[in-house]
Amino acid sequence: MTGTTPRGAASEQAAAQWVRGMFGRIAPRYDLLNHLLSFNLDKRWRARTVERVAEILDRPDAQVLDLCCGTGDVLLALERRANRPLLASDFCHPMLVEARRKIGGRGFRSPVFEADALSLLLADASLDLITVAFGFRNLANYQHGLEEMLRVLKPGGVAAILEFSQPPNPAFRAFYGFFSTSVLPRVGGLISGSPDAYSYLPESIRKFPGAEQLAQEMRQAGFSQVEFERMTAGAVALHLGYK
Ligand SMILES: C[S@@+](CC[C@H](N)C(=O)[O-])C[C@H]1O[C@@H](n2cnc3c(N)ncnc32)[C@H](O)[C@@H]1O
């Protein structure tokens, strides 16, 4: 398992740079497109993620990081549940600008900081929970991403990875494939003004490991009690793993 491979990127560094630049270009339209292209299902996927980790959020001393936070939708849902400030990070400045605007504008308090998920400036064994929604797929090296999560999690800490996946039903997979390769790049490209971003999206989903394989990779990296649940007929999967 290596990591994302945008067209033309010849190294991990080039892939990361491309991903950061691409998210920077679409940041102002990211939320609109997210809700539109997922038929608002993204809200349900994020809500379910929060529900699965609610027990940790309810502990007043639990240290929580939303990794690859983007414009902050998961972070806001986590903070709403925890009712206290949490942490969030991303390596794309324009996405963090959007996140800050939403956090402040809606009366939330969580700080966000700029950091590469492959090299977090956090102490070993300092977190109880890491959530990462639709960010993991974009990492330049998945194994390093998992190792970094394990490094910063406390023993017993949990990683929750919400990501696009491969629907197991062949008929739904065919429909989903058509939607993501034909409809999504056209609508996404038109509204965002960045067609390359929305042709990268289906390509990165197609290349990303299926749910069983990701679970296996998590176990190999050192996570225990790894489990996953599929949502929306397997278009999305939420993986949980313990350190
Ligand atoms: C599809 S967006 C998801 C944002 C948000 N979590 C959500 O659910 O809407 C992916 C985010 O991952 C971030 N990202 C990708 N690779 C990263 C890395 N190596 N380090 C930090 N952030 C990264 C991107 O900048 C982008 O904001």
Side-chain angles (χ1 to χ4, degrees), residues 61-107:
D61 60 337
Q63 299 295 326
V64 178
L65 171 71
D66 183 39
L67 194 63
C68 302
C69 67
T71 59
D73 276 359
V74 174
L75 171 69
L76 297 188
L78 292 167
E79 181 177 333
R80 193 175 293 120
R81 170 73 198 210
N83 200 23
R84 63 195 160 83
L86 308 170
L87 290 171
S89 66
D90 199 286
F91 77 167
C92 175
H93 191 78
M95 291 295 258
L96 290 175
V97 170
E98 291 295 319
R100 279 224 172 100
R101 193 179 50 75
K102 276 158 68 176
I103 294 165
R106 297 181 195 182

Side-chain angles (χ1 to χ4, degrees), residues 4 16 19-20 23-24 26 30-31 34 42 46 66-75 89-93 95-96 115-120 131-140 162-164 201:
T4 192
V19 166
R20 191 191 290 119
F23 279 112
I26 65 169
Y30 176 79
D31 284 347
N34 240 355
D42 62 315
R46 291 188 183 89
D66 183 39
L67 194 63
C68 302
C69 67
T71 59
D73 276 359
V74 174
L75 171 69
S89 66
D90 199 286
F91 77 167
C92 175
H93 191 78
M95 291 295 258
L96 290 175
D116 190 327
L118 301 186
S119 148
L120 291 165
T131 55
V132 49
F134 308 111
F136 187 78
R137 189 187 74 254
N138 300 292
L139 300 185
L162 177 66
E163 199 41 273
F164 290 111
L201 186 67

Side-chain angles (χ1 to χ4, degrees), residues 67-242:
L67 194 63
C68 302
C69 67
T71 59
D73 276 359
V74 174
L75 171 69
L76 297 188
L78 292 167
E79 181 177 333
R80 193 175 293 120
R81 170 73 198 210
N83 200 23
R84 63 195 160 83
L86 308 170
L87 290 171
S89 66
D90 199 286
F91 77 167
C92 175
H93 191 78
M95 291 295 258
L96 290 175
V97 170
E98 291 295 319
R100 279 224 172 100
R101 193 179 50 75
K102 276 158 68 176
I103 294 165
R106 297 181 195 182
F108 289 86
R109 293 174 295 151
S110 292
V112 297
F113 62 96
E114 207 164 318
D116 190 327
L118 301 186
S119 148
L120 291 165
L121 289 172
L122 292 173
D124 294 358
S126 53
L127 300 173
D128 296 279
L129 170 66
I130 297 174
T131 55
V132 49
F134 308 111
F136 187 78
R137 189 187 74 254
N138 300 292
L139 300 185
N141 188 312
Y142 300 142
Q143 193 184 329
H144 290 171
L146 293 173
E147 285 167 1
E148 188 62 350
M149 286 191 225
L150 277 168
R151 182 185 71 76
V152 296
L153 279 172
K154 295 177 190 171
V158 175
I161 304 176
L162 177 66
E163 199 41 273
F164 290 111
S165 196
Q166 317 293 343
N169 180 292
F172 185 71
R173 196 162 56 237
F175 163 76
Y176 180 63
F178 169 77
F179 175 77
S180 60
T181 52
S182 305
V183 181
L184 197 140
R186 288 200 179 93
V187 179
L190 204 68
I191 297 181
S192 69
S194 291
D196 58 338
Y198 285 87
S199 37
Y200 164 78
L201 186 67
E203 206 173 298
S204 64
I205 296 171
R206 188 176 53 76
K207 289 180 189 165
F208 192 65
E212 284 93 356
Q213 197 191 331
L214 178 57
Q216 187 55 22
E217 302 290 352
M218 288 176 74
R219 285 185 201 104
Q220 271 166 16
F223 282 97
S224 55
Q225 292 169 261
V226 175
E227 55 176 286
F228 63 86
E229 72 174 73
R230 298 184 204 270
M231 298 179 221
T232 315
V236 163
L238 172 64
H239 286 69
L240 297 178
Y242 291 74

